[in-house]
């Protein structure tokens, strides 16, 4: 069981609470049935940061070492707070701009096939994103080509 730090002055061991709503099975990378989400300080931090970013219509980048639960925290917060606005993108390694446009076109449920002309596809995607605030979650952004991320890269 995960607990708060014990043995420190003024603290006692307490279990972290369970989330009020169970996470959908597909949010966890193992797809486990019947699991409950433990509300850790990290999950709470991501939830608050995502809510602020959504309210301000800003980008949010969640960074940390592998295995800390960043992906789960973002998807859990997006799913529980903004279920209609959650747009998860699962891009393969080294996606092209055309891949990103196609994924966004389908994820935003835009009509028909993605336009072949990049300017037309971009205009449709921008219009959809401007009309409604979305949580577009891109996992493994470090796989994106460096040219997309600027001189510093995505990581």
């Amino acid at each position: 069981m995960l607990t708060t730090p014990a043995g420190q002055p003024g603290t006692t061991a307490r279990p972290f609470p369970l989330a009020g709503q169970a996470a959908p099975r597909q949010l966890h990378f193992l797809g486990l049935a019947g699991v409950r989400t433990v509300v850790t300080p990290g999950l709470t931090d991501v939830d608050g940061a995502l809510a602020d970013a959504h309210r301000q219509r800003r980008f949010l980048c969640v960074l940390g070492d592998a295995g800390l639960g960043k992906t789960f925290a973002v998807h859990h917060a997006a799913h529980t707070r903004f279920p209609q606005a959650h747009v998860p993108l699962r891009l393969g390694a080294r996606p092209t701009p055309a891949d990103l446009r196609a994924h966004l076109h389908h994820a935003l449920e835009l009509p028909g096939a993605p336009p072949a002309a990049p300017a037309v596809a971009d205009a449709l995607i921008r219009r959809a994103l401007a009309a409604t605030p979305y949580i577009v979650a891109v996992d493994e952004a470090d796989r994106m080509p460096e040219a997309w991320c600027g001189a510093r890269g995505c990581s």
Side-chain angles (χ1 to χ4, degrees):
M1 175 188 292
L2 296 174
T3 60
T4 56
Q8 295 179 2
T11 63
T12 59
R14 297 186 318 264
F16 291 126
L18 295 176
Q21 179 180 351
R25 199 173 171 170
Q26 70 271 19
L27 291 187
H28 194 278
F29 76 101
L30 292 176
L32 302 172
V35 297
R36 297 291 307 272
T37 301
V38 177
V39 182
T40 63
L43 186 69
T44 301
D45 290 346
V46 168
D47 185 72
L50 190 65
D52 287 344
H54 185 264
R55 185 180 69 255
Q56 296 174 32
R57 298 183 81 154
R58 302 277 187 230
F59 284 91
L60 172 67
C61 182
V62 179
L63 300 172
D65 291 334
L68 294 178
K70 300 174 301 293
T71 299
F72 179 80
V74 168
H75 288 294
H76 184 272
H79 177 79
T80 55
R81 278 188 174 255
F82 312 103
Q84 302 305 319
H86 183 210
V87 180
L89 292 183
R90 296 195 191 337
L91 303 171
R94 310 291 294 171
T96 66
D99 294 333
L100 183 58
R101 286 184 185 100
H103 277 78
L104 279 168
H105 187 91
H106 294 297
L108 295 170
E109 299 178 356
L110 298 175
V120 175
D122 290 349
L124 288 172
I125 292 166
R126 283 189 182 116
R127 193 173 308 128
L129 292 173
T132 305
Y134 285 97
I135 304 293
V136 178
V138 181
D139 194 19
E140 304 297 344
D142 59 327
R143 292 181 179 178
M144 296 174 78
E146 288 180 22
W148 289 27
C149 305
R152 298 180 128 178
C154 293
S155 52

